[in-house]
Amino acid sequence: QKEVEQNSGPLSVPEGAIASLNCTYSDRVSQSFFWYRQYSGKSPELIMSIYSNGDKEDGRFTAQLNKASQYVSLLIRDSQPSDSATYLCAGRGGNEKLTFGTGTRLTIIP
Amino acid sequence: GAVVSQHPSWVICKSGTSVKIECRSLDFQATTMFWYRQFPKQSLMLMATSNEGSKATYEQGVEKDKFLINHASLTLSTLTVTSAHPEDSSFYICSWGEGQVNQPQHFGDGTRLSIL
């Protein structure tokens, strides 16, 4: 099992709908989790971080963590064309290193 | 927030050339810097962890003699790709953390390296 797994997509969502991005992880990277957005040709930018079970909301973004199922997700409400990007899930274990998933390419259809 | 300047942003050079990439922290002291490489349509792969004043720690499969990392001060870390070849063409990104397991890493703007 890969340490962090994501569905590579592409995921297409109509404008205004909710985009749901999912990620599973192994025991080795189970302490904290981060969602990054990466536009083509650019470096990743942090969207959300989460390390406690449950939901964490920031504007149109909600991160959800379920440690029992080893599952972390990112919901984007009221999707906009500018949300079209690759979303990277990353997990961290006991040291400082992040482990990234392969990313999910999201396209918002106007 | 913390600002890191990475340059050059883009470089094209001939095979066999050595290329130096710099990451400079502008408003904080970066004890630890991470260097990533990203090939097209792939995720970020950690190459090495650079610690100020000590030798870098390389990930398995990364040649330390080819990818020279220097972190001689708290504000500057450099990655030198020595004798670069076309297969080294990639997007190289530096990154730094906030020192705690629950804190995120932030990324420089990246350097796109193309070797002809």
Side-chain angles (χ1 to χ4, degrees), chain A residues 96, chain B residues 2-4 23-34 50-53 70-77 94-99:
Chain A
E96 211 179 333
Chain B
V3 177
V4 166
C23 268
R24 191 178 296 275
S25 56
L26 302 182
D27 59 356
F28 71 104
Q29 294 182 328
T31 306
T32 302
M33 196 80 85
F34 303 94
S50 143
N51 296 295
E52 186 268 335
N70 185 289
H71 194 159
S73 79
L74 288 172
T75 59
L76 177 65
S77 179
C94 65
S95 176
W96 65 103
E98 298 183 21

Side-chain angles (χ1 to χ4, degrees), chain B residues 1-47:
Chain B
V3 177
V4 166
S5 172
Q6 180 174 349
H7 67 91
S9 56
W10 181 67
V11 58
I12 299 177
C13 56
K14 293 181 179 179
S15 185
T17 305
S18 292
V19 178
K20 180 186 281 188
I21 301 169
E22 289 190 353
C23 268
R24 191 178 296 275
S25 56
L26 302 182
D27 59 356
F28 71 104
Q29 294 182 328
T31 306
T32 302
M33 196 80 85
F34 303 94
W35 286 95
Y36 290 85
R37 177 169 56 181
Q38 186 178 36
F39 292 108
K41 300 192 186 302
Q42 295 187 23
S43 191
L44 282 76
M45 295 302 296
L46 179 65
M47 299 176 67

Side-chain angles (χ1 to χ4, degrees), chain A residues 66-79:
Chain A
N66 182 325
K67 290 191 175 183
S69 301
Q70 296 188 286
Y71 177 95
V72 58
S73 64
L74 178 70
L75 301 179
I76 307 174
R77 289 181 299 281
D78 189 22
S79 298

